[in-house]
Amino acid sequence: DAGVIQSPRHEVTEMGQEVTLRCKPISGHDYLFWYRQTMMRGLELLIYFNNNVPIDDSGMPEDRFSAKMPNASFSTLKIQPSEPRDSAVYFCASSGLSRETQYFGPGTRLLVL
Amino acid sequence: AQSVTQLGSHVSVSEGALVLLRCNYSSSVPPYLFWYVQYPNQGLQLLLKYTTGATLVKGINGFEAEFKKSETSFHLTKPSAHMSDAAEYFCAVSGRKAAGNKLTFGGGTRVLVKP
């Protein structure tokens, strides 16, 4: 099993640019979660999907952030426009039959200059 | 609402010594409880979890944790630390909803193992 795949692993961009983070969940998993990790705020849930439908986006910080899941094997998290305070590690996780266990990807380290 | 408190953001132990990481939670419903480990520049890996049944849970790499409802605690232990245990450890809680479980994480405890 390939596990959760995220791309890119590292992203450096300038303030105001659009950033798109990508995630491929484990095959057969029907839940997908996006988290953000920062020194100040720790690990925060941004949004999660069930069967490609967004269920809870209450953690999305503001309208600059958007997430989509066009099919069962792909999700994106987009930031437009990006700001320096968006610098963080963004994790994607998925879960399946064992609902309570989430499997995490390696993360995308984002730096906004 | 749920919350998790991990006592101590940094713990230093000698190789071969006991590792004890403390976790207390708050939940209005019986929770599921988890410990995850994060090695440098990697994602989170599940160490162990408590859902139902036996309150002493054994996980990977020799770690175990005990669910104590009366103390609302889920402390993580390992009898003998190894250099490879140096990492950051996160305690997490979720509700028992059948339709997906949102994880709430503690602040993490970074473990340093001294030779």
Side-chain angles (χ1 to χ4, degrees):
Chain A
D1 195 333
V4 176
I5 299 172
Q6 292 187 247
S7 64
R9 292 293 311 275
H10 301 271
E11 177 81 28
V12 180
T13 190
E14 293 187 346
M15 183 174 63
Q17 296 298 305
E18 177 180 293
V19 175
T20 299
L21 311 181
R22 297 172 177 80
C23 174
K24 176 179 170 57
I26 292 172
S27 178
H29 282 190
D30 56 352
Y31 281 86
L32 184 139
F33 304 80
W34 282 101
Y35 291 89
R36 179 172 68 175
Q37 184 179 36
T38 61
M39 290 292 291
M40 292 296 295
R41 300 175 66 90
L43 275 158
E44 306 172 277
L45 176 66
L46 300 177
I47 185 172
Y48 79 94
F49 296 82
N50 176 221
N51 290 323
N52 315 334
V53 176
I55 303 301
D56 185 344
D57 65 355
S58 59
M60 295 286 264
E62 48 196 279
D63 292 346
R64 298 184 298 106
F65 285 70
S66 63
K68 294 182 179 180
M69 192 165 185
N71 58 62
S73 58
F74 183 66
S75 177
T76 60
L77 178 67
K78 187 172 295 187
I79 308 173
Q80 167 63 18
S82 58
E83 296 182 2
R85 60 193 168 116
D86 302 331
S87 297
V89 182
Y90 291 81
F91 289 103
C92 177
S94 68
S95 66
L97 286 177
S98 180
R99 286 275 182 266
E100 70 278 0
T101 300
Q102 295 181 25
Y103 297 86
F104 283 75
T108 295
R109 189 173 297 273
L110 173 66
L111 178 60
V112 183
L113 302 173
Chain B
Q2 298 171 318
S3 65
V4 178
T5 301
Q6 291 183 238
L7 294 177
S9 59
H10 290 80
V11 167
S12 180
V13 299
S14 297
E15 191 173 19
L18 171 72
V19 179
L20 170 60
L21 306 183
R22 300 179 186 275
C23 172
N24 288 89
Y25 69 91
S26 172
S27 177
S28 57
V29 297
Y32 289 155
L33 294 159
F34 308 82
W35 277 99
Y36 281 86
V37 60
Q38 185 180 28
Y39 298 102
N41 299 316
Q42 294 187 27
L44 280 73
Q45 179 183 1
L46 181 67
L47 270 180
L48 49 78
K49 64 182 178 184
Y50 169 79
T51 54
T52 59
T55 56
L56 181 62
V57 181
K58 295 187 185 299
I60 62 172
N61 302 339
F63 284 93
E64 62 182 36
E66 186 170 12
F67 169 56
K68 293 187 176 181
K69 184 179 178 181
S70 61
E71 299 178 6
T72 60
S73 70
F74 192 56
H75 302 332
L76 181 71
T77 61
K78 181 174 180 178
S80 176
H82 191 271
M83 296 299 291
S84 61
D85 295 327
E88 189 158 19
Y89 294 79
F90 293 91
C91 182
V93 63
S94 74
R96 290 171 176 259
K97 288 175 62 176
N101 295 288
K102 295 168 56 174
L103 285 173
T104 299
F105 286 91
T109 299
R110 190 172 298 276
V111 173
L112 172 66
V113 182
K114 299 177 293 185

